[in-house]
Amino acid sequence: MKKILNYIFLASILMYSSACDNNFDELNTNKVSATVIDPAFQLNAAIVGCAYPNGSLVYDVGVVQQIVTPNSGLVSGANYNQDNRTLTQELWQGYYRNVIKNTRDVINQVEEDPARANLMNMARIIQAFAFMVLTDDYGSIPYFEGGKGYSEQIYLPTYDSQEVIYADLIKELTEATTALNLSGKIESADILYGGDLNKWKNFGYSLLLRAGMRLSQVDPITAAQVVQTAVQGGVILTNEGNAQIRHDANYTNPIGNFLNSTEASNFYLTKPFVDYLRSNKDPRLSAIAVTYVGAKSGPEQTLANQTYDASVHLGMPMGSDNVGAVSAASTLGLASFYEFAQADRRRITKNTSPTFLVTASQNNLLMAEARERGWISSGTVEEYYNAGVRAHMNQLGLVDVGSTISTSEINQYLQENPFEPSVALEQINTQYWVSSFLNGPEAFANFRRSGFPELTPNPYPGKEVEFINRLTYPNSEISVNSENVQAAISAQGADNLATKVWWDK
């Protein structure tokens, strides 16, 4: 009897277990969770990921002596000309993880689908932008194998030389831009241009123009050919076509967020930058800067004591640590270093300020140089130069109405600071420096390429180099991908701030 009861009990358990398993998979499947995503949204993620990180402010913008902080520690970098790998790694990690990973996946998903050919070529253009920024800042990088950990399980990618990378970037930009089909599918979900392929073409050719000009010192023959192709194709020449990430409350500008939170009172415009604008009575100084008169601390930087008056703005001397900044402020009769001019976080560096990738101002100035070099034949150097200056001054008013510069102010500036053919390259590239304010990677790249403006070396006594020429590789790469990193270092030069990238002559 006991055995019979045991068998009945066991059978009951088995029947119950069987009943529990019935429709188990169906019951445990989330029917409202997405199992696929339109690759157009991945392209949007890549575009948002192109926004420049905080490390770009500390290094790229700092190297070209526009904004610095006197503080040491986490935010130290170009103001001390010292290596801080916590910050030099930000661009690398952000771009590989958030941009290239997504563009690689988009391309893999749609390359066999003729109906999504435009999306694939848009992804190629964004990918080329990201790789150009990376190689310009670091030199040799994982290019052909970079970002293929998911698609091809390449977890330890080899590094490619910048010379090889640029050859392929030019090929990619030429092919992808030319292949955009105005009769093909319009990818209206695209957040950069809303699927406007004419603007995408202008963007692609603008990057090609930029790539060609990068070669001006190292390969002028190829540079001229590439520039001609870009200009003939049609580049961005008005602010309506600017390639910009439009930030909002959900997707804030990283640098704007940085300067409106814990670092609000820690970063200042530099003396070289402010002095240049002041000496030329440039109306952009009032549009960009704010001074908090009499401020002796961060909390005293209030609306009540702010001024945009250019005659009041003073820039912080380069290489000033906390002690040096205090001394410099005292010498100038300021209440404290909190009274040095800042980029106005309520206008030009808001959380929602756009991130500019390529602008009409930059393109007009590059074309002015190309015309000066005889690489293009249309227009005059002066016309392109004036158009570049105008475009940037007008661009500031598009960022915030409070930074609007009137047409009369622009005309007066150009009359008082006319184009001078005898110093054409210096004048053009110094304007490019101003025009690329807050576009750190591009300002840093063009400064090294052109040699302008002529900046005085950082005077900080503990500096590691006279001028920073590149960013250093992340420690994570050195420890995990050591063999390939060491091969790149052997070919390129020491992994320090002094080593130059290939096109920097």
Side-chain angles (χ1 to χ4, degrees):
M1 185 68 181
K2 187 175 181 181
K3 278 188 177 181
I4 293 173
L5 290 174
N6 287 339
Y7 284 136
I8 292 173
F9 179 69
L10 179 61
S12 299
I13 291 176
L14 291 173
M15 289 175 64
Y16 179 77
S17 298
S18 176
C20 288
D21 285 342
N22 190 30
N23 298 323
F24 182 83
D25 290 340
E26 182 179 351
L27 290 170
N28 286 276
T29 299
N30 188 336
K31 296 181 180 181
V32 297
S33 178
T35 56
V36 295
I37 184 173
D38 189 321
F41 298 132
Q42 279 188 271
L43 177 61
N44 285 343
I47 292 169
V48 172
C50 288
Y52 312 123
N54 301 334
S56 178
L57 175 71
V58 173
Y59 273 95
D60 295 328
V61 179
V63 173
V64 299
Q65 300 185 7
Q66 291 178 330
I67 293 179
V68 293
T69 175
N71 296 342
S72 58
L74 180 63
V75 293
S76 67
N79 190 44
Y80 291 80
N81 271 23
Q82 294 177 346
D83 191 6
N84 178 349
R85 298 199 184 210
T86 299
L87 289 174
T88 58
Q89 70 181 357
E90 285 192 351
L91 184 69
W92 179 288
Q93 293 178 344
Y95 269 37
Y96 274 112
R97 294 172 181 175
N98 302 321
V99 184
I100 294 164
K101 181 180 71 173
N102 279 303
T103 56
R104 291 285 198 203
D105 196 33
V106 171
I107 293 167
N108 287 338
Q109 288 187 66
V110 303
E111 61 184 345
E112 302 299 330
D113 183 359
R116 307 301 294 273
N118 282 334
L119 181 63
M120 180 187 71
N121 288 308
M122 290 155 65
R124 291 171 74 187
I125 291 170
I126 289 295
Q127 184 166 276
F129 168 82
F131 272 128
M132 192 185 303
V133 171
L134 284 168
T135 188
D136 287 346
D137 263 25
Y138 297 94
S140 298
I141 59 171
Y143 178 73
F144 291 104
E145 294 183 353
K148 292 187 175 181
Y150 173 74
S151 61
E152 299 181 32
Q153 290 74 57
I154 299 176
Y155 305 122
L156 302 175
T158 57
Y159 282 54
D160 302 287
S161 71
Q162 190 175 61
E163 182 176 5
V164 170
I165 291 170
Y166 257 87
D168 197 70
L169 285 174
I170 289 168
K171 177 190 77 68
E172 280 290 290
L173 287 168
T174 303
E175 290 180 359
T177 307
T178 302
L180 288 171
N181 181 6
L182 300 180
S183 300
K185 177 179 172 60
I186 302 300
E187 300 288 349
S188 58
D190 144 48
I191 61 170
L192 191 62
Y193 289 121
D196 188 328
L197 292 177
N198 284 309
K199 289 184 177 179
W200 269 96
K201 278 183 173 286
N202 292 155
F203 176 42
Y205 283 123
S206 297
L207 292 176
L208 190 64
L209 169 63
R210 182 176 285 183
M213 293 303 295
R214 251 350 156 251
L215 308 185
S216 61
Q217 303 299 326
V218 72
D219 188 354
I221 294 175
T222 300
Q225 294 169 347
V226 173
V227 167
Q228 289 165 13
T229 299
V231 173
Q232 289 168 5
V235 302
I236 298 166
L237 292 176
T238 65
N239 284 327
E240 289 71 26
N242 286 344
Q244 58 182 306
I245 304 169
R246 294 169 177 82
H247 296 284
D248 60 22
N250 295 315
Y251 300 98
T252 57
N253 185 314
I255 290 175
N257 187 56
F258 189 59
L259 295 179
N260 278 278
S261 55
T262 58
E263 304 304 324
S265 59
N266 291 332
F267 283 81
Y268 295 84
L269 296 176
T270 70
K271 176 176 170 56
F273 189 53
V274 172
D275 284 359
Y276 175 79
L277 296 174
R278 279 188 65 169
S279 65
N280 292 287
K281 298 180 181 179
D282 194 320
R284 284 173 287 193
L285 180 56
S286 293
I288 288 170
V290 63
T291 291
Y292 296 97
V293 179
K296 295 184 288 296
S297 66
E300 291 186 20
Q301 293 180 335
T302 65
L303 288 171
N305 63 354
Q306 75 172 20
T307 181
Y308 301 150
D309 186 350
S311 67
V312 176
H313 298 324
L314 294 173
M316 180 175 287
M318 285 296 299
S320 296
D321 56 16
N322 285 100
V323 174
V326 170
S327 176
S330 177
T331 299
L332 292 168
L334 304 181
S336 72
F337 71 71
Y338 293 98
E339 201 175 351
F340 280 116
Q342 292 182 294
D344 187 10
R345 56 185 178 270
R346 296 183 177 90
R347 292 182 299 161
I348 207 69
T349 57
K350 296 177 295 187
N351 284 350
T352 55
S353 292
T355 294
F356 290 100
L357 308 181
V358 180
T359 68
S361 176
Q362 292 169 331
N363 284 346
N364 275 291
L365 291 168
L366 289 180
M367 290 173 69
E369 180 176 343
R371 186 70 179 88
E372 172 68 18
R373 293 180 179 276
W375 293 349
I376 58 176
S377 57
S378 61
T380 68
V381 181
E382 184 174 7
E383 287 171 345
Y384 290 127
Y385 172 84
N386 288 342
V389 174
R390 285 184 182 278
H392 186 242
M393 290 189 178
N394 286 323
Q395 176 187 315
L396 294 175
L398 299 176
V399 175
D400 191 278
V401 67
S403 294
T404 300
I405 299 174
S406 68
T407 301
S408 60
E409 289 177 298
I410 297 173
N411 290 339
Q412 182 177 351
Y413 174 80
L414 290 172
Q415 289 170 3
E416 295 177 354
N417 301 274
F419 173 70
E420 293 287 349
S422 62
V423 289
L425 293 182
E426 178 179 4
Q427 199 171 20
I428 291 166
N429 285 290
T430 301
Q431 284 294 338
Y432 199 93
W433 173 59
V434 179
S435 173
S436 299
F437 179 64
L438 294 175
N439 186 335
E442 184 57 21
F444 181 34
N446 199 69
F447 166 66
R448 288 172 290 160
R449 177 194 71 85
S450 69
F452 298 112
E454 294 183 349
L455 300 173
T456 302
N458 188 318
Y460 187 69
K463 62 187 176 183
E464 296 178 16
V465 292
E466 287 292 295
F467 273 105
I468 294 173
N469 292 316
R470 63 177 286 275
L471 302 188
T472 52
Y473 295 130
N475 287 330
S476 57
E477 271 293 291
I478 295 171
S479 61
V480 175
N481 196 15
S482 178
E483 184 176 341
N484 290 319
V485 174
Q486 293 305 320
I489 292 171
S490 296
Q492 176 174 260
D495 182 29
N496 58 33
L497 302 173
T499 296
K500 291 188 174 185
V501 298
W502 167 70
W503 51 250
D504 182 4
K505 300 299 179 182

